Amino acid sequence: MSRTRVTSRRPVFWMVVVASLALATALVAQQRQRDDDRPPGLPRDPVPDATMINTHEIAGVRVVTVARDLSHPWGMAFLPDGDMLITERAGRLRMLRDGVLDPEPVSGVPTVLSQGLAGLMDVALHPDFAENRLVYLSYTRPVTEREGTVALVRGRLDGMALREVEDVFVAEPWGGSTAAARIAFAPDGLLYMTGGGAFGTNPDESRAQDPSSHAGKILRLRDDGSVPPDNPFVGRDGYKPEIFSLGHRNQQGLAFHPATATPLATEHAVQGGDELNVIQPGGNYGWPVVSYGRQYTGERVTGRFWADGMVEPLVFWVPSIAPSGLAFYTGDRFPEWQGNLFVGSMMTGRIGRTGHIERIVFNENGEELAREWLLTELRQRIRDVKQGPDGLL
């Protein structure tokens, strides 16, 4: 991406940074009033065009901002030529070409219910994109004026337009308009999709534990949205056949281990108890029966941290960091970081402007050895992390 701008021999972080645009004077006034009501401690500093940071294993890492004027960017995908598609939560698909953000969005995106956390979310390319030009988007599909459900749509990218657009999967029952939906293709060509929105804490009423609901699950699909015959619950009464794992709350990140192709997902708890999970077929990850988290009022979600038959997290966070997109580093620009996992964070301990990137180091058995916080000084909500074709993050 914008390879002509790499003028330093030092490693570089590429960053896509949100700079929200007010649409009306009234909205600006409302935002200023909200800002006036907030505690004044942490500053809202502008993001620099470029800066240098020192890290534990690499000194002098250059951080470069390559795009501004985005509104709530949620997901991104690199095209084979190094250009990038970026989703904006309000329902726009943007193109970053040769390091320049096209002022016009890509046309053909379906109507999106955009309210609160709902909207256009992730973007992924078909494994054979170079031949078929297929782009996949996860989004909140309107069902009524104020309610929606998570859906997966695909279309053929033709210049600055999506054509032959069709929904290939729609979550049921509808009503999970605030669900996160990260999507990613596995090395075997199957598509994994997170279905969040299981916020309830009563185990008897939890959608995360309800096998007849797509909410609180990780789903496994063919590229046309159909069900792979070896999914763990195919043919089992009362279970949605798309379900690959269950017992999740609201998953914001999804990636595959570069050596084993095993899926890993990050998951929001409430206060504390955010998780990084190694996803096993048919696994139950416990929400809300077991949790390390507390309610927003302070009391514990449950008195149990683990239970027989439920999978414990590989990593958990107390306090919470609101983990988001994640990526294993496999490039050659940062040899010291080979095999490390990079996880986006939107805030720490419920304190705004404390987002960052966490670098997690594992041993050969996949057990955690170390964590490092990066980009804390930018005070941004980091929504996604990707490795580019140039080996940069």
Side-chain angles (χ1 to χ4, degrees):
M1 182 173 67
S2 187
R3 290 181 291 274
T4 58
R5 292 187 59 189
V6 181
T7 57
S8 171
R9 293 183 180 178
R10 298 183 179 186
V12 179
F13 267 115
W14 291 126
M15 291 192 62
V16 179
V17 179
V18 57
S20 298
L21 298 177
L23 300 180
T25 303
L27 293 179
V28 174
Q30 291 171 11
Q31 183 62 49
R32 287 175 178 166
Q33 181 61 48
R34 287 195 294 269
D35 287 345
D36 291 342
D37 294 339
R38 289 172 179 163
L42 296 177
R44 188 186 298 274
D45 294 332
V47 175
D49 291 332
T51 188
M52 300 295 295
I53 64 171
N54 290 315
T55 75
H56 177 69
E57 294 184 351
I58 306 174
V61 176
R62 187 165 177 248
V63 181
V64 178
T65 299
V66 297
R68 297 181 183 271
D69 299 329
L70 289 158
S71 175
H72 296 91
W74 211 98
M76 52 186 172
F78 282 95
L79 300 176
D81 60 3
D83 292 342
M84 185 193 288
L85 291 172
I86 307 164
T87 56
E88 292 180 310
R89 196 173 64 197
R92 292 177 293 271
L93 179 63
R94 308 295 299 275
M95 177 77 78
L96 187 72
R97 183 181 290 111
D98 294 328
V100 178
L101 184 68
D102 195 301
E104 295 298 322
V106 176
S107 64
V109 174
T111 300
V112 171
L113 176 65
S114 178
Q115 61 180 27
L117 303 178
L120 182 61
M121 289 173 279
D122 210 1
V123 55
L125 306 184
H126 191 282
D128 297 324
F129 174 83
E131 289 75 38
N132 61 31
R133 306 291 292 177
L134 287 176
V135 174
Y136 291 72
L137 302 168
S138 59
Y139 76 107
T140 308
R141 175 179 173 173
V143 178
T144 68
E145 184 177 343
R146 295 186 178 181
E147 296 178 295
T149 190
V150 168
L152 177 69
V153 67
R154 72 175 178 183
R156 204 173 304 279
L157 185 64
D158 180 11
M160 287 293 290
L162 286 181
R163 308 194 187 280
E164 304 170 36
V165 176
E166 59 175 342
D167 281 332
V168 295
F169 171 78
V170 179
E172 297 176 347
W174 58 267
S177 61
T178 57
R182 190 69 69 179
I183 55 176
F185 278 95
D188 63 4
L190 294 177
L191 186 144
Y192 288 68
M193 177 176 179
T194 70
F199 299 114
T201 58
N202 184 340
D204 295 331
E205 301 175 356
S206 170
R207 294 197 295 174
Q209 295 295 327
D210 179 0
S212 67
S213 170
H214 289 120
K217 314 298 191 298
I218 290 180
L219 313 175
R220 183 172 178 252
L221 308 167
R222 289 170 165 163
D223 63 355
D224 62 357
S226 62
V227 178
D230 60 345
N231 270 8
F233 299 111
V234 168
R236 187 167 172 179
D237 288 345
Y239 282 75
K240 295 288 190 186
E242 297 87 359
I243 295 174
F244 190 75
S245 64
L246 66 158
H248 303 284
R249 183 176 181 269
N250 205 36
Q251 316 95 299
Q252 298 275 343
L254 182 63
F256 296 91
H257 192 282
T260 66
T262 303
L264 289 88
T266 52
E267 180 174 335
H268 283 200
V270 195
Q271 293 198 85
D274 295 342
E275 297 178 353
L276 170 68
N277 288 305
V278 179
I279 306 303
Q280 303 173 8
N284 188 331
Y285 289 80
W287 176 261
V289 180
V290 296
S291 175
Y292 288 93
R294 294 179 180 270
Q295 304 281 16
Y296 295 121
T297 52
E299 69 269 23
R300 291 195 180 279
V301 172
T302 173
R304 292 192 289 172
F305 300 142
W306 60 84
D308 290 342
M310 294 184 174
V311 185
E312 293 189 55
L314 177 65
V315 172
F316 67 91
W317 287 271
V318 176
S320 61
I321 66 162
S324 56
L326 64 159
F328 281 97
Y329 185 72
T330 60
D332 58 4
R333 302 295 290 271
F334 307 100
E336 299 89 343
W337 290 348
Q338 280 275 350
N340 293 179
L341 183 66
F342 290 80
V343 180
S345 160
M346 293 186 285
M347 70 168 68
T348 304
R350 302 295 298 165
I351 302 298
R353 304 175 196 170
T354 55
H356 58 278
I357 291 177
E358 288 208 12
R359 181 177 70 92
I360 305 178
V361 183
F362 299 101
N363 65 16
E364 60 184 11
N365 297 319
E367 298 162 326
E368 179 189 355
L369 294 178
R371 302 186 205 180
E372 180 179 17
W373 288 21
L374 305 173
L375 305 184
T376 55
E377 60 273 32
L378 297 181
R379 302 193 183 282
Q380 296 296 312
R381 291 168 62 85
I382 306 298
R383 176 66 74 171
D384 200 5
V385 184
K386 286 287 194 298
Q387 178 182 313
D390 53 10
L392 301 178
L393 286 171

